[in-house]
Amino acid sequence: VTRAHVVIVGAGFGGISAARALRGANADVLVVDRRNYHLFQPLLYQVASGLLDPSEIAQPVRTLLRHQRNADVRMNEVRAIDLERRVVRTDAGDLPYDHLIVAAGAVTNHFGNRDIAAHTLALKGLNDALTLRGEVLERFERAAECADERERRRLLTFVIAGAGPTGVEFAGALCELFSHLLPKDFPRLDFAPVRVILIEGRNRVLEAFRPRLAAKAEEVLRRRGVEMVFGRRVVGADERGIRLDDGTRIESATVIWTAGVRASWLGEQLTEKVGRLGRVAVRPTLQLAGHDEVQVIGDMAELGDRGEVLPMLAPVAIQQGEHAGRNVIAQLGGGAATPFRYRDKGTMATVGRNHAVVQLGPIRLSGFIGWLMWLFVHLLYIITFRSKAVVLLNWAWNYIFYDRPARLITEISPDIGTDTSNEEATR
Amino acid sequence: VTRAHVVIVGAGFGGISAARALRGANADVLVVDRRNYHLFQPLLYQVASGLLDPSEIAQPVRTLLRHQRNADVRMNEVRAIDLERRVVRTDAGDLPYDHLIVAAGAVTNHFGNRDIAAHTLALKGLNDALTLRGEVLERFERAAECADERERRRLLTFVIAGAGPTGVEFAGALCELFSHLLPKDFPRLDFAPVRVILIEGRNRVLEAFRPRLAAKAEEVLRRRGVEMVFGRRVVGADERGIRLDDGTRIESATVIWTAGVRASWLGEQLTEKVGRLGRVAVRPTLQLAGHDEVQVIGDMAELGDRGEVLPMLAPVAIQQGEHAGRNVIAQLGGGAATPFRYRDKGTMATVGRNHAVVQLGPIRLSGFIGWLMWLFVHLLYIITFRSKAVVLLNWAWNYIFYDRPARLITEISPDIGTDTSNEEATR
């Protein structure tokens, strides 16, 4: 009797939790990812702002699955999925499967605007974060030697497009960096022209939060020096700056694009017609229509829950991963997959130094208490014990000394995970 | 009265120690480096072998000089030096000087062999180390999916050319990684074909050490599984492997070149005829002949001491930096530069897990005691307190759990600091 082959595409929150749910299964589990690491995305902005190092929020997939005897890992790029032959095609050959769990996540979405793709920086992968860190620090180096006042202003203007959690958290972190730390490194530079501008198409920050909590966050951001522009979208970008939909031009040397994500382009291998933001419609069991052996989870899956489509969030992916694993175990035992139900455990976001907004069912917290809660939950979910220890150490260090450890400009090539390359590859 | 301008080219051991020696000087000190960080090179191989993270052995130059009021920093590439006009030309304009200290260090030396430059990996800059770390880990990923036995052998053969301190220390670190840690990450891979081959043109390792200590180091390396080939040089390299001067071919997917360094190409701006390994001959005072206002220090300087040319080592650069600073202070006060005398404080090298060879004047140590000594001295010289704490923490972690924290494959573009690019730029 040959054991069943379960292939999991993607080693993000969904893929890893699916693999772990299959720990006791009588099957060979193979996790495929083009990276060798699992990334704790919620803290990515802290790498970009120089507070944490890559190895503190990313762990090798192999290390995470080291103690799971039935699991193996391949670092390969998935090129295609052949649903008829039940084969995943990679850059290093084919992987046949009896059960497939697709958890390839999401990529930055420039909504087809090539100017925006070319002239803005993303904040989605580890290489994005390292590039962004280097670029931000480099602007201050250039400003320090720049004699032209107008150019210096442009160099010191930082635009963040999109006021979701990533945009808001990064804006807060940037302000902290600019107000507490960099003035010590650049004692001769005038920091008055430094601007952090947050641009959002809706009329407030943090759409996923209640208006009152969002208003709190806005208040804190404003106090820390973030300028906010609501009801406006970035529609153009070039070497010198950006253009808004009302015609306003903002001269800026650094534009960070957090205004959209879309599901991985791999979705187009699974269905003839992808849904909104490239997601793949799945049945309530997470299974693909017509393919009981294929489940799609996390950011890639389009699934309604009490009348609303589930958001692209880590907790959804984690819970769906667990569920998908259980479904496979049920199917291996001759049973059937069961419908997925999402348990909303709440949302939270930090807004710079010791302030966070937290929404947990009926509980709403903000300020320092919220921040402690945020800290506790994030530490809890960081996967390895060592990372928990080192991240806490770095946070404490920064809290006490206002000093971020990781302010190095290393040379990084652009992340191949952004949708620009995928668009080119797929289109 | 205008204050004197002192320009220091390079923020390595020599440049930083010169800047610090000028702390009390009545002069404006400007440190120029194309990187924004100072690198603690002796621990670079620990980044390459995944034990330390970049921010633990590198600190922003600005942070290091933050409390020195008369010092400023520029992150620029020095293009040329105009000795007549007393101007340093950079990619962002000219920097005039009254006193110049040139401390641009050394680059990897492929002795003009373009095949070797193209098909080997260097270990000189931070980006080299990150690239090397990614490449080594990637070989195991490829081997894990490779069905062809001969190709798997090639993927698992690691050649290190040059058995100086860098080659020896990296060989030891690789063996530790391959024997204790990676087998846990790759439980299905047969580790029997894994080879680490150290190739040295002389007839022993660690030329700078006494023969008896070197023999000890060889014994430890051999016990840990390093194969050593003496009296042979690598003369050719291609996609599949290397060729030695006796015609032997070794099939290897990863060749690390630590067989030579040479002084920065900037030396050619200072003299019509550079010396051995591109170094610039200086007077005993470190001054350039005919230019009392220019000093050359560290790896770039060719200076005899008791009949021998001083080696390219961190302690030499540090002491020369201090001396160059004092010379400038003397000159500013109307005095003259004094001759430099090197105080040899000894040499040490680790040979993998808790074993080091140490040579301090009449004292010779090896084994665990040597390793404690090595550990103490290196911690002492690591510049910031935070780095000391984190490095010690990581060492302790690895010592207890046999676990290296930093095993991520991130995408890094080739380091522009290697001599290939400089050769192309200069020639």
Side-chain angles (χ1 to χ4, degrees):
Chain A
V1 189
T2 55
R3 276 156 68 96
H5 284 69
V6 184
V7 171
I8 299 173
V9 176
F13 286 115
I16 290 288
S17 96
R20 290 192 159 174
L22 286 161
R23 178 184 284 251
N26 183 28
D28 290 323
V29 178
L30 186 61
V31 179
V32 195
D33 198 295
R34 74 202 141 117
R35 309 239 178 266
N36 83 326
Y37 52 81
H38 165 78
L39 179 67
F40 191 76
Q41 287 224 15
L43 289 178
L44 191 61
Y45 76 96
Q46 297 206 348
V47 172
S49 64
L51 181 51
L52 295 179
D53 258 321
S55 73
E56 286 149 23
I57 63 158
Q59 280 81 32
V61 183
R62 295 187 176 278
T63 308
L64 293 179
L65 297 176
R66 189 190 274 177
H67 299 295
Q68 187 168 337
R69 289 220 182 139
N70 68 345
D72 201 358
V73 177
R74 284 277 176 278
M75 182 186 151
N76 287 131
E77 175 112 35
V78 171
R79 295 275 167 80
I81 293 169
D82 188 334
L83 292 173
E84 296 317 309
R85 297 199 175 148
R86 302 194 179 179
V87 160
V88 174
R89 304 206 183 285
T90 78
D91 54 358
D94 292 355
L95 306 171
Y97 63 81
D98 301 305
H99 293 271
L100 176 66
I101 298 174
V102 187
V107 294
T108 301
N109 193 355
H110 302 110
F111 304 101
N113 188 321
R114 297 211 162 247
D115 288 337
I116 289 177
H119 299 290
T120 64
L121 294 155
L123 184 46
K124 190 84 184 91
L126 200 46
N127 293 315
D128 290 339
L130 289 171
T131 303
L132 185 47
R133 175 204 288 184
E135 297 284 319
V136 167
L137 294 172
E138 203 259 352
R139 298 302 178 265
F140 283 84
E141 296 289 346
R142 292 294 83 85
E145 73 195 24
C146 177
D148 178 56
E149 198 197 312
R150 201 177 141 194
E151 174 64 6
R152 207 161 55 240
R153 280 182 188 281
R154 195 181 76 89
L155 287 166
L156 297 177
T157 299
F158 298 84
V159 173
I160 300 170
T166 305
V168 163
E169 294 192 305
F170 189 58
L174 272 192
C175 280
E176 202 181 306
L177 183 68
F178 296 170
S179 57
H180 295 302
L181 192 90
L182 289 187
K184 286 190 261 180
D185 276 357
F186 294 86
R188 283 162 193 80
L189 184 68
D190 176 16
F191 272 67
V194 175
R195 296 173 73 187
V196 175
I197 307 173
L198 189 58
I199 295 167
E200 168 60 48
R202 299 193 187 79
N203 60 3
R204 65 175 176 97
V205 303
L206 300 173
E207 194 205 4
F209 288 76
R210 297 293 160 105
R212 259 193 63 196
L213 273 183
K216 282 248 183 220
E218 282 173 25
E219 191 195 312
V220 176
L221 287 173
R222 197 163 284 124
R223 220 162 47 216
R224 292 189 178 176
V226 178
E227 298 171 46
M228 278 165 281
V229 179
F230 293 120
R232 289 283 161 257
R233 289 179 311 109
V234 176
V235 291
D238 55 39
E239 298 79 20
R240 306 282 315 162
I242 51 149
R243 196 161 40 79
L244 303 185
D245 53 359
D246 65 349
T248 314
R249 231 192 110 76
I250 300 175
E251 300 280 294
S252 165
T254 321
V255 183
I256 299 106
W257 184 259
T258 69
V261 291
R262 55 152 291 144
S264 159
W265 294 90
L266 217 50
E268 302 190 350
Q269 294 285 310
L270 301 173
T271 175
E272 285 187 10
K273 194 172 173 307
V274 294
R276 198 177 154 262
L277 300 178
R279 296 175 98 177
V280 178
V282 291
R283 290 180 273 162
T285 54
L286 301 175
Q287 288 165 309
L288 195 61
H291 288 276
D292 281 359
E293 76 286 3
V294 178
Q295 297 181 82
V296 185
I297 61 173
D299 291 354
M300 284 189 71
E302 186 177 70
L303 179 62
D305 181 69
R306 279 153 272 192
E308 277 181 57
V309 172
L310 287 170
M312 293 186 180
L313 286 175
V316 176
I318 291 170
Q319 292 179 29
Q320 290 185 340
E322 285 162 9
H323 190 82
R326 280 195 301 266
N327 274 349
V328 169
I329 290 173
Q331 290 173 298
L332 290 173
T338 57
F340 170 76
R341 283 305 298 267
Y342 178 54
R343 296 173 304 283
D344 187 352
K345 292 183 181 160
T347 324
M348 42 181 72
T350 41
V351 208
R353 201 172 176 73
N354 58 53
H355 196 109
V357 289
V358 176
Q359 182 171 304
L360 296 163
I363 304 166
R364 317 253 181 279
L365 292 173
S366 65
F368 188 67
I369 305 283
W371 182 71
L372 286 180
M373 183 76 152
W374 175 91
L375 194 142
F376 176 76
V377 169
H378 278 75
L379 274 184
L380 201 72
Y381 273 93
I382 291 177
I383 282 182
T384 64
F385 172 73
R386 185 188 169 277
S387 297
K388 285 187 215 293
V390 180
V391 166
L392 190 62
L393 184 88
N394 278 328
W395 284 349
W397 190 272
N398 185 51
Y399 188 82
I400 299 165
F401 297 106
Y402 283 86
D403 195 0
R404 310 196 147 213
R407 297 195 307 283
L408 311 175
I409 304 177
T410 46
E411 288 137 27
I412 313 275
S413 61
D415 193 306
I416 56 161
T418 61
D419 66 338
T420 21
S421 59
N422 282 334
E423 269 173 296
E424 276 151 21
T426 318
R427 298 277 133 132
Chain B
V1 189
T2 56
R3 277 156 67 97
H5 284 69
V6 183
V7 171
I8 299 173
V9 176
F13 286 114
I16 291 288
S17 98
R20 291 193 159 173
L22 285 161
R23 178 184 284 250
N26 182 29
D28 290 324
V29 178
L30 186 61
V31 179
V32 195
D33 198 295
R34 74 201 140 113
R35 311 241 176 265
N36 83 325
Y37 52 82
H38 166 78
L39 179 67
F40 191 76
Q41 287 226 13
L43 290 179
L44 191 61
Y45 76 96
Q46 298 206 347
V47 172
S49 64
L51 180 52
L52 295 178
D53 259 321
S55 72
E56 286 149 22
I57 63 157
Q59 280 83 32
V61 183
R62 295 188 176 279
T63 308
L64 293 180
L65 297 176
R66 190 189 273 176
H67 299 294
Q68 186 167 338
R69 290 219 182 141
N70 68 344
D72 200 358
V73 176
R74 284 278 176 278
M75 181 184 153
N76 287 131
E77 175 112 36
V78 171
R79 294 276 167 81
I81 294 169
D82 188 334
L83 292 173
E84 295 317 309
R85 297 199 176 148
R86 300 193 180 178
V87 159
V88 173
R89 304 208 182 284
T90 78
D91 54 358
D94 293 354
L95 305 171
Y97 63 81
D98 301 305
H99 292 271
L100 176 66
I101 299 173
V102 186
V107 294
T108 300
N109 192 354
H110 302 110
F111 303 101
N113 188 320
R114 297 213 161 245
D115 288 338
I116 289 177
H119 299 289
T120 64
L121 295 154
L123 184 46
K124 190 83 184 92
L126 200 46
N127 293 315
D128 290 340
L130 289 170
T131 303
L132 185 48
R133 175 204 290 183
E135 296 283 320
V136 167
L137 295 171
E138 203 258 351
R139 297 302 178 266
F140 283 84
E141 296 290 345
R142 292 294 84 86
E145 74 194 25
C146 176
D148 178 57
E149 198 197 312
R150 201 177 142 195
E151 174 63 8
R152 207 162 55 239
R153 279 182 190 282
R154 195 182 76 87
L155 287 166
L156 297 177
T157 300
F158 298 83
V159 172
I160 300 170
T166 305
V168 163
E169 294 192 306
F170 189 59
L174 272 191
C175 279
E176 203 181 303
L177 182 68
F178 296 170
S179 58
H180 295 302
L181 192 92
L182 289 186
K184 287 190 260 179
D185 276 357
F186 294 86
R188 283 163 193 79
L189 184 67
D190 176 17
F191 273 67
V194 175
R195 296 173 73 188
V196 176
I197 307 172
L198 189 59
I199 295 166
E200 167 59 48
R202 298 192 187 79
N203 61 4
R204 65 175 176 98
V205 303
L206 300 173
E207 194 206 4
F209 288 76
R210 297 293 161 105
R212 258 191 64 195
L213 274 182
K216 282 246 185 224
E218 282 173 25
E219 192 195 309
V220 175
L221 287 174
R222 196 164 283 125
R223 220 160 51 214
R224 291 183 181 181
V226 179
E227 298 171 46
M228 279 166 280
V229 179
F230 293 120
R232 290 281 160 260
R233 287 178 311 109
V234 176
V235 292
D238 54 40
E239 298 79 21
R240 307 282 314 162
I242 52 150
R243 197 161 42 78
L244 303 185
D245 54 358
D246 64 351
T248 314
R249 232 192 109 75
I250 300 175
E251 299 281 293
S252 165
T254 322
V255 183
I256 299 105
W257 184 259
T258 68
V261 290
R262 54 152 293 142
S264 160
W265 295 90
L266 217 50
E268 302 189 348
Q269 294 285 309
L270 301 173
T271 174
E272 286 187 7
K273 195 174 173 307
V274 294
R276 198 176 154 261
L277 300 177
R279 297 175 97 178
V280 177
V282 291
R283 291 180 273 164
T285 53
L286 302 174
Q287 288 165 310
L288 195 62
H291 289 277
D292 282 0
E293 76 286 3
V294 179
Q295 296 182 84
V296 185
I297 62 174
D299 291 354
M300 285 188 72
E302 186 177 70
L303 179 62
D305 181 70
R306 279 154 272 192
E308 278 183 58
V309 172
L310 286 171
M312 293 185 178
L313 287 175
V316 176
I318 291 169
Q319 291 179 32
Q320 289 185 341
E322 286 162 7
H323 190 82
R326 280 195 299 267
N327 274 348
V328 169
I329 290 173
Q331 290 174 298
L332 290 172
T338 57
F340 170 76
R341 283 304 299 267
Y342 177 54
R343 295 175 303 285
D344 187 351
K345 291 183 183 161
T347 324
M348 43 181 70
T350 40
V351 209
R353 202 171 175 73
N354 58 54
H355 197 108
V357 288
V358 176
Q359 182 171 304
L360 297 164
I363 305 166
R364 317 253 181 281
L365 293 172
S366 65
F368 187 67
I369 305 282
W371 182 71
L372 287 180
M373 184 76 154
W374 175 91
L375 193 143
F376 176 75
V377 169
H378 278 75
L379 274 184
L380 201 72
Y381 274 92
I382 291 176
I383 282 182
T384 65
F385 173 72
R386 183 186 171 278
S387 298
K388 285 186 216 288
V390 181
V391 165
L392 190 62
L393 183 88
N394 277 328
W395 284 350
W397 190 273
N398 185 51
Y399 187 82
I400 299 166
F401 298 106
Y402 282 88
D403 197 359
R404 311 198 146 213
R407 295 195 309 283
L408 311 175
I409 305 177
T410 46
E411 287 137 26
I412 313 275
S413 61
D415 193 306
I416 56 162
T418 62
D419 66 340
T420 21
S421 57
N422 281 335
E423 268 174 297
E424 276 151 21
T426 319
R427 300 275 133 136

